[in-house]
């Protein structure tokens, strides 16, 4: 990758920009008791966070339970920006029409799982 493209895809936690990442934040009380339980979101190629924030609502850039405390960057070299962003948008639109109770199901379509 070119140097400018690498800089563009860099993590910037001060601005909450996590390109090509799955992000995680704790759920108050629940995570204190069961540490591996939390709230997840997925980010566009520009690092904008999308997460299922409630029934029929997928938020953009405002996670339902606070800013991410952990992130996992997927390999940007394995995806094209337009394809990645299209998949993020399409899944967000679909989940915005659903009454979803399993909060971890939102990232699944982005990762190639039903």
């Amino acid at each position: 990758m070119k140097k400018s493209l690498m800089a563009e895809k860099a993590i910037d936690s001060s601005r909450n920009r996590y390109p090509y990442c799955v992000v995680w934040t704790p759920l108050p009380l629940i995570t204190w008791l069961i540490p591996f339980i939390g709230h997840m979101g997925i980010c566009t190629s520009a690092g904008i966070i999308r997460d299922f924030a409630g029934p029929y609502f997928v938020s953009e850039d405002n996670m339902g339970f606070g800013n991410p405390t952990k992130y996992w960057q997927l390999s940007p070299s394995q995806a094209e920006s337009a394809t990645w962003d299209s998949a993020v948008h399409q899944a967000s639109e679909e989940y915005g029409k659903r009454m979803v109770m399993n909060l971890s199901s939102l990232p699944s379509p982005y990762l190639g799982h039903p």
Side-chain angles (χ1 to χ4, degrees), residues 6 9 40 47 56 84 93:
M6 288 297 286
K9 304 303 178 196
M40 294 174 62
Y56 307 104
W84 179 270
E93 290 294 315

Side-chain angles (χ1 to χ4, degrees), residues 14-25:
S14 66
R15 293 180 48 232
N16 281 322
R17 291 293 180 256
Y18 302 90
Y20 297 103
C21 286
V22 173
V23 293
W24 183 91
T25 192

Side-chain angles (χ1 to χ4, degrees), residues 77-99:
S77 64
Q78 300 294 316
E80 296 177 25
S81 293
T83 304
W84 179 270
D85 290 340
S86 175
V88 169
H89 176 75
Q90 184 178 17
S92 295
E93 290 294 315
E94 178 64 31
Y95 277 80
K97 299 174 188 171
R98 293 185 184 182
M99 172 65 150

Side-chain angles (χ1 to χ4, degrees), residues 55-107:
Y56 307 104
F57 182 67
V58 177
S59 70
E60 180 173 291
D61 235 9
N62 187 18
M63 283 188 79
F65 295 93
N67 294 334
T69 57
K70 294 184 182 189
Y71 64 87
W72 297 270
Q73 188 170 40
L74 306 175
S75 179
S77 64
Q78 300 294 316
E80 296 177 25
S81 293
T83 304
W84 179 270
D85 290 340
S86 175
V88 169
H89 176 75
Q90 184 178 17
S92 295
E93 290 294 315
E94 178 64 31
Y95 277 80
K97 299 174 188 171
R98 293 185 184 182
M99 172 65 150
V100 179
M101 298 309 289
N102 180 0
L103 299 180
S104 65
S105 63
L106 178 61

